Amino acid sequence: MNAITIKDVAKAAGVSSATASRVLSGHPATSPASRKKVEAAANELGFVPNAQARSLRSTKTDTIALLISDVRNPYFSDLAHAVEQQAHAEGIMTFIGNANEDSAQQDDFLAAMLSRRVDGLIMVPQGLTEDAERPSDMLRRLIDSGTPVVFVDRSLAGVQVPSITASSTEALNEAIATLKGLGHRAIAFIGGPAHASTARERHRAFDAALEANALEVDASLHFTGDFKSGSGARAARWLIEHPAQPTAVIIADAPMAIGALTVWREAGITVGEQLSVITFDEVDAMLMHDPPISTISHDLSGMGRAAVAALRAVMAGQPPEPEEFISHFTQRESLAPARTGAAVD
């Protein structure tokens, strides 16, 4: 069956093709009578505008791209949902890509989006592994092309792109203070890769929270993971064998926490009773664990809305100010007094 064209709509409405085109594109220079006839004919015929052809005429596609770090990470799935739903509510369709925590895979997606003429891009940027603060050549090319871009969750120092991020400083201060109050002194940290600004920010905030609570910063209690469950499993075994015998641990994201919790369960370690656990990212797996895991969470719905609003501002030529959300600490049954019986200061 041949697709219905504007010529078909114009013939059914008894108007010229030019008039039908103006009505269907929303042009104001049409009479109420013409609009009524054309819209009725289009509805009756089931006419669907050709978005690609329309974009060639207007340079506007009503589509944006969203690039997240790892589609398997429930945190990023929730963030993607928040962005996509907000964009959809504003009449914008979203192409979603997966960087897989890899700058090369990120660049493949960016190259594809450059060729597809999306109106703008929201992305969780991947810094280069060998130089965490430097964008890849492809990312620099995208920015230099004038394509509207907004960073969300992560940022890159020295790159002039509006960023929607979250600060974990207050939440980590509260988390460390809570652990100290329970008698914990040897507190381990399972962090993320250096190329991610969130990993660096959480590590700095963790050390600062130890100092703020008069606890020793011990570099040997820090494990560098990669925000994936496999590294969380390796970190769990590292903690079991650690000579300092940490009684508490803070984990920098949910996939690493899932990997670690699996190993501890298999090793017969009871979370809470034997090891107090806090993880970033309030996802279903943490709430369904027995016992439920204490979390440091982010307002992903708010971040998604803010990212879409920021991109729309950039697309309109009005760059917004960067926005930083404040993370929240929630204590649950995964925390218990330290079994060492250390005195509380």
Side-chain angles (χ1 to χ4, degrees), residues 108-124:
D108 289 342
F109 182 81
L110 297 183
M113 289 303 100
L114 267 175
S115 69
R116 281 165 173 74
R117 297 165 48 99
V118 294
D119 294 335
L121 171 70
I122 296 172
M123 64 180 296
V124 182

Side-chain angles (χ1 to χ4, degrees), residues 113-293:
M113 289 303 100
L114 267 175
S115 69
R116 281 165 173 74
R117 297 165 48 99
V118 294
D119 294 335
L121 171 70
I122 296 172
M123 64 180 296
V124 182
Q126 312 296 306
L128 295 175
T129 302
E130 66 273 18
D131 187 351
E133 299 289 353
R134 182 165 64 87
S136 67
D137 291 341
M138 176 54 69
L139 178 51
R140 177 59 68 186
R141 176 184 166 194
L142 179 84
I143 295 169
D144 291 345
S145 75
T147 301
V149 179
V150 167
F151 290 161
V152 65
D153 186 63
R154 300 178 186 174
S155 61
L156 291 175
V159 180
Q160 300 303 309
V161 169
S163 300
I164 309 300
T165 57
S167 169
S168 58
T169 299
E170 293 182 19
L172 274 168
N173 275 336
E174 185 178 353
I176 294 295
T178 299
L179 290 173
K180 181 181 178 180
L182 291 169
H184 296 278
R185 294 296 182 271
I187 304 171
F189 182 71
I190 300 174
H195 69 79
S197 64
T198 45
R200 301 192 302 275
E201 186 269 340
R202 291 169 191 180
H203 188 191
R204 288 193 297 265
F206 173 79
D207 286 350
L210 290 175
E211 292 178 345
N213 286 278
L215 295 174
E216 179 185 358
V217 176
D218 183 351
S220 75
L221 288 172
H222 174 243
F223 182 95
T224 301
D226 61 7
F227 283 156
K228 297 180 181 180
S229 61
S231 68
R234 292 191 295 275
R237 289 187 283 270
W238 161 86
L239 186 143
I240 291 172
E241 299 168 359
H242 201 289
Q245 297 184 316
T247 59
V249 61
I250 295 179
I251 309 173
D253 87 330
M256 293 194 300
I258 291 170
L261 289 165
T262 300
V263 169
W264 291 327
R265 183 185 68 243
E266 293 172 350
I269 294 174
T270 304
V271 169
E273 181 182 341
Q274 294 175 273
L275 178 67
S276 288
V277 178
I278 299 170
T279 184
F280 277 77
D281 307 342
E282 184 159 302
V283 299
D284 289 345
M286 299 303 110
L287 306 184
M288 294 169 63
H289 188 273
D290 183 20
I293 305 299

